């Protein structure tokens, strides 16, 4: 089954976004940022005639957050050890969704990840989270700064809180995966 990976710094709003996409509370928002050290896989099943199909049709992979200041060095250092092989070698990985926060300036470790993804030549999309927190004007400026810093043509604004951009993101995921 095709897999869609979600990546971003701790506290970027990854769990909230996955929950909003799934329309449930599958991905637990953790109160301790950076605590999740595993890759969590969510199998999405198609529902037909009220019955859930046994085989999943799509997998969401929730990757551990990186770059949170309070996380001990050993955990931060652990990050690339299993993430890079996952991103580089996972055969079923069809799409990477890279989350960046629209409320803070572009972060060097986000650039690092995006540069790595470009090198792997995997299809990816940069998504700007928490777009509801700023005015439209500030959001437009923030998106432009993020595009410039990460050298990408597009940063798709989303809000898990208001669900803005959620349909557009789902549409993109399905286009790439299908
Ligand atoms: P994670 O560590 O990347 O999984 O981040 P979480 O999903 O746990 O979110 C981190 C914090 O940002 C929490 O306090 C969320 O309530 C908040 N947050 C996440 N998404 C949004 C959003 O779209 N809008 C706003 N205003 N806050 C958000």
């Amino acid at each position: 089954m095709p897999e869609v990976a979600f990546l971003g710094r701790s506290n970027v709003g990854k769990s909230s976004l996955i929950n909003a996409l799934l329309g449930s509370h599958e991905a637990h928002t953790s109160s301790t940022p950076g605590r999740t050290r595993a890759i969590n896989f969510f199998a999405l099943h198609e529902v037909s005639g009220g019955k859930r199909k046994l085989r999943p049709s799509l997998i969401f992979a929730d990757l551990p957050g990186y770059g949170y200041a309070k996380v001990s060095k050993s955990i931060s250092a652990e990050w690339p050890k299993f993430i890079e092989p996952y991103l580089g070698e996972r055969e079923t990985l069809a799409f990477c969704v890279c989350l960046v926060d629209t409320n803070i300036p572009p972060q060097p470790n986000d650039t690092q990840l995006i540069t790595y993804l470009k090198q792997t030549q995997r299809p990816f999309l940069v998504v700007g989270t928490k777009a509801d927190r700023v005015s439209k004007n500030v959001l437009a400026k923030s998106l432009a700064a993020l595009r410039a810093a990460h050298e990408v043509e597009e940063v798709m604004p989303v809000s898990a809180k208001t669900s803005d951009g959620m349909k557009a993101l789902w549409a993109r995921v399905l286009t790439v995966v299908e």
Side-chain angles (χ1 to χ4, degrees):
M1 292 299 112
E3 217 160 88
V4 179
F6 293 83
L7 298 133
R9 304 172 78 244
S10 299
N11 217 37
V12 72
K14 186 157 51 65
S15 314
S16 303
L17 183 75
I18 293 174
N19 287 336
L21 283 171
L22 296 177
S24 68
H25 294 277
E26 295 269 356
H28 296 282
T29 39
S30 77
S31 50
T32 314
R35 220 181 50 187
T36 319
R37 280 184 251 174
I39 302 177
N40 290 304
F41 295 98
F42 299 94
L44 279 67
H45 297 258
E46 275 176 45
V47 177
S48 57
K51 276 193 179 171
R52 224 167 77 142
K53 282 189 187 170
L54 269 184
R55 271 164 62 83
S57 54
L58 185 63
I59 309 276
F60 275 8
D62 179 9
L63 275 75
Y66 53 89
Y68 191 77
K70 280 186 189 160
V71 174
S72 76
K73 270 199 179 134
S74 64
I75 297 173
S76 306
E78 214 173 273
W79 197 82
K81 263 193 242 160
F82 66 101
I83 302 302
E84 285 194 14
Y86 170 82
L87 295 175
E89 294 160 29
R90 185 82 165 172
E91 281 180 18
T92 49
L93 181 56
F95 194 37
C96 293
V97 179
C98 268
L99 281 64
V100 296
D101 196 330
T102 59
N103 292 225
I104 58 171
Q107 300 292 305
N109 45 13
D110 289 334
T111 308
Q112 223 176 325
L113 171 68
I114 291 163
T115 304
Y116 179 74
L117 283 175
K118 287 175 190 165
Q119 283 165 10
T120 66
Q121 299 191 316
R122 287 200 183 274
F124 72 91
L125 172 70
V126 181
V127 160
T129 62
K130 309 183 192 178
D132 60 280
R133 277 199 186 161
V134 286
S135 69
K136 274 195 175 156
N137 210 0
V138 172
L139 179 63
K141 279 184 187 153
S142 164
L143 293 171
L146 290 165
R147 285 194 301 268
H150 302 317
E151 296 180 28
V152 290
E153 281 178 16
E154 180 187 9
V155 176
M156 181 186 275
V158 294
S159 166
K161 199 175 175 185
T162 64
S163 291
D164 272 359
M166 227 45 76
K167 271 190 185 165
L169 180 54
W170 252 127
R172 188 67 65 85
V173 166
L174 293 178
T175 305
V176 176
V177 163
E178 282 162 6

